[in-house]
Amino acid sequence: MRKGIALVVGATGITGGNLASYLVASGWTVFGLSRRATEQSGVIPVTADLLDESATRDALVGLPITHVFYCTWIRRDNEKANIEANSAMMRNLFEALEDADLQHGSLVTGTKQYLGSFEAYGSGRTETPFRESEPRVPGDNFYYALEDVLFETAERQGFTWNVHRPHTVIGYARGNAMNMGTTLAVYATICREKDKPFVFPGSKIQWNALTDMTDALVLARQMEWAATTPGAANQEFNTVNGDVFRWRRMWREIGEYFGLEVADCPETPQPLEVQMGEADLIWREIARKHDLIEPDISKLASWWHTDADLGRDQECVNDTTKSREFGFDHFRETRAAFFDLFDRLRAEKIIP
């Protein structure tokens, strides 16, 4: 028997893509909504721009969706514009599904819940480990706006909800704007090809402090679990792998994986956006030399996002006690998550 009929919103992204594949394997009927059609096996593609109200309605009308998994966002020039655009996208989605027999809605946000928005990043000085019960950080944040739309719609339409807060997702995806794993693999490949040391681009604080991350399949498992466990309904959950690490060790282990000389952490940050200023031409040559399938580095690396994560000047550790108390105890070693991703990128000729 099928578990339910899922609509994964953002099915071509790192979170949505991995979730859609997981749900198919787990026995769901899965529709994958994105602006460009997903080509994942077993996922029924639905294409629409959620900012277009009528196009969204036309794409979704009549679909017997029972569970919505919202894993997308759009970036604008400032946070007020982020709030306006992202709120409109979610409203358009649920209005298009107003005649569906929805049972549950899941929203993926993240650690900016505790840190503050992109334009006020780090303004939230919440003490670690971050707990779901912490109050919202003052100021504009489109995560909060999305939560409010979800809560209002769930109450009006009579379905349950969950909010999931991962921290820097590791997983396979192409053309994704927030993909540290593939970004580091591309950076390491360029360092090796150019015989340059593997230089940590971020801050001394991130180099030395404890931190954590989220494997995309840990997130997928938690999302399915929360959506199908009655006692977990209407709750927010942090979502991380269950281990903690320091970049000063992880960076050396990643460098060793790629056979690189690992430099000491610089006294001041060396952002990848600066280091990789001419990387597009370098990568095209690497792709030609090694017969790789993606010569366009902009579809693989997200320098700005990795710089933001590694350049923070505060410790970021998430408490998962609540999730465990509710019954979810899956975990993943972060080092293994990185190495498994790198192995897949090699096997699929993304990196040499």
Side-chain angles (χ1 to χ4, degrees), residues 153-223:
T153 307
E155 183 175 5
R156 184 174 65 253
Q157 295 184 213
F159 59 81
T160 57
W161 55 266
N162 287 114
V163 177
H164 300 266
R165 297 169 182 166
H167 180 201
T168 311
V169 179
I170 309 170
Y172 179 83
R174 290 169 61 188
N176 184 259
M178 301 173 72
N179 191 337
M180 180 189 284
T182 303
T183 298
L184 294 184
V186 168
Y187 172 49
T189 298
I190 292 174
C191 289
R192 188 178 60 204
E193 291 288 323
K194 294 299 181 180
D195 196 26
K196 292 184 176 181
F198 193 45
V199 178
F200 185 72
S203 69
K204 280 276 193 178
I205 291 177
Q206 286 304 299
W207 179 256
N208 290 310
L210 287 171
T211 192
D212 50 28
M213 294 182 73
T214 306
D215 183 271
L217 291 181
V218 171
L219 177 55
R221 285 173 181 267
Q222 193 197 60
M223 293 182 74

Side-chain angles (χ1 to χ4, degrees), residues 200-209 247-248 265-271 306-315:
F200 185 72
S203 69
K204 280 276 193 178
I205 291 177
Q206 286 304 299
W207 179 256
N208 290 310
W247 275 110
R248 68 190 186 209
C265 181
E267 289 299 320
T268 58
Q270 307 291 314
T306 298
D307 283 339
D309 272 0
L310 298 183
R312 292 180 296 218
D313 64 353
Q314 65 186 103
E315 181 180 76

Side-chain angles (χ1 to χ4, degrees), residues 75-82 112 116-123 139-141:
R75 190 179 186 190
R76 292 297 192 239
D77 290 338
N78 57 66
E79 198 62 15
K80 289 189 181 299
N82 282 338
K112 286 191 295 298
S117 66
F118 280 124
E119 66 182 32
Y121 201 52
S123 62
D140 293 331
N141 191 322

